[in-house]
Amino acid sequence: MEQYLEFAKSLSKEAEEIALKYFGFNTQNIWKSDNTPLTKADTEINDLVIKRINETYPDHSIYGEEKSEIKENSKYIWVCDPIDGTMPFSNGLPIFTFSIALVDQSNGLPVLGVVNDPVMKNMYWGLKNNGAYRNGEKISVIKKDDLKNTYLITEASGKAVGFSNLPLMKALSENKCAVMRFLSFIYGGIQVANGKFIGGVFYNPYGHDVAALKVIVEEAGGKVTDLNGDERRYDQDGVGCIVSNGILHDKLLEIVQSGKL
């Protein structure tokens, strides 16, 4: 596992070079069929991930946001978001990350995750049963048992997975919890592990947006479930995601469930 982790960290540094090469106010993009932007950085990083994994671990599968390679009977699958935050990235805004997780296909759970913020030079990682770190310094969630004067990240409406986010927004306002939206869930979600945010609610189904967060946040002492409070697989789509410091997970779950359609 340590070898896998070092491989993922090295890969994230290569991805950083590509991201910064294209990043700026003149970044060009095209539009995908789901009305989200796509840049050369997204495709080049995704291609790099596939190339490196095939060179180093040819029996492992790859699930990337832009391109995947699924191998028959593979024990592990690498789940990657080459640029999480393509919208801000494509507008020259420094709110994006590279994310990769190694997921055990027997249960769909990640055993390690790496998130790299190229602009701030912050690399986060977590290894199952070995803690969570930022640039080598151990990190942990904030030990707070109420929502007042805290931050929470959320992205998108809940229509894709059968929830409305209106009850969540109302409850957070009433409890004086500040809501932030970066158009990059990983960018904000990693701050739960970093001890800055109390939690995050992700209404989209995609596994690549939450796989690395699952292991890093839980190794930092937090909790991650789907929007129903259940465990989910991270090598495929699921019912969104709630990321929290653990202490307030049940409270957030209750609020989210009140918006079920």
Side-chain angles (χ1 to χ4, degrees):
M1 283 301 153
E2 288 287 350
Q3 289 182 339
Y4 291 148
L5 177 61
E6 290 308 310
F7 168 79
K9 287 158 70 174
S10 175
L11 187 52
S12 80
K13 294 301 291 183
E14 288 192 88
E16 176 181 307
E17 291 181 13
I18 296 173
L20 294 179
K21 177 178 71 174
Y22 288 108
F23 178 61
F25 287 111
N26 296 316
T27 301
Q28 300 295 310
N29 68 269
I30 61 173
W31 290 90
K32 297 190 289 187
S33 60
D34 63 355
N35 198 38
T36 59
L38 177 69
T39 70
K40 285 186 178 180
D42 292 275
T43 55
E44 281 195 21
I45 293 171
N46 206 132
D47 288 345
L48 171 73
V49 168
I50 290 174
K51 182 175 185 288
R52 291 287 183 260
I53 291 170
N54 281 336
E55 289 171 346
T56 312
Y57 304 112
D59 57 333
H60 289 189
S61 291
I62 305 118
Y63 164 27
E65 181 179 12
E66 311 306 336
K67 190 186 297 183
S68 302
E69 282 195 13
I70 306 302
K71 319 285 178 60
E72 189 175 352
N73 300 320
S74 59
K75 176 175 174 56
Y76 292 112
I77 183 168
W78 294 89
V79 179
C80 174
D81 196 335
I83 297 282
D84 183 67
T86 303
M87 287 188 186
F89 177 86
S90 64
N91 283 282
L93 303 176
I95 303 170
F96 60 92
T97 65
F98 168 82
S99 171
I100 192 164
L102 182 62
V103 174
D104 185 336
Q105 292 207 268
S106 69
N107 56 18
L109 296 176
V111 293
L112 68 85
V114 173
V115 170
N116 191 22
D117 176 347
V119 176
M120 296 302 294
K121 306 300 182 189
N122 283 323
M123 188 188 295
Y124 302 87
W125 67 85
L127 183 62
K128 190 68 176 175
N129 300 320
N130 281 273
Y133 299 85
R134 182 191 67 251
N135 297 336
E137 179 181 348
K138 197 163 188 178
I139 55 176
S140 61
V141 298
I142 185 172
K143 304 297 184 182
K144 201 169 188 303
D145 61 2
D146 68 278
L147 293 169
K148 186 177 180 181
N149 301 140
T150 61
Y151 293 101
L152 181 137
I153 173 76
T154 189
E155 296 295 342
S157 67
K159 293 180 181 178
V161 287
F163 289 79
S164 167
N165 64 355
L166 294 180
L168 174 69
M169 304 304 285
K170 181 175 183 291
L172 295 175
S173 176
E174 291 173 348
N175 283 275
K176 295 181 171 56
C177 175
V179 179
M180 301 188 76
R181 189 166 185 257
F182 299 113
L183 298 175
S184 168
F185 187 72
I186 298 172
Y187 186 91
I190 199 66
Q191 297 308 323
V192 179
N194 208 24
K196 299 295 184 183
F197 285 20
I198 202 71
V201 180
F202 184 67
Y203 287 99
N204 283 324
Y206 315 120
H208 56 72
D209 284 305
V210 290
L213 288 178
K214 166 70 174 177
V215 63
I216 298 173
V217 169
E218 292 196 339
E219 285 302 310
K223 185 174 181 178
V224 182
T225 68
D226 72 8
L227 299 183
N228 292 316
D230 299 325
E231 192 58 271
R232 59 162 286 181
R233 298 187 68 96
Y234 292 84
D235 52 357
Q236 60 191 40
D237 288 353
V239 188
C241 194
I242 300 175
V243 178
S244 80
N245 71 338
I247 302 169
L248 285 166
H249 200 88
D250 288 345
K251 184 174 182 64
L252 288 175
L253 175 61
E254 181 182 358
I255 297 169
V256 169
Q257 283 285 298
S258 71
K260 202 166 189 179
L261 300 175

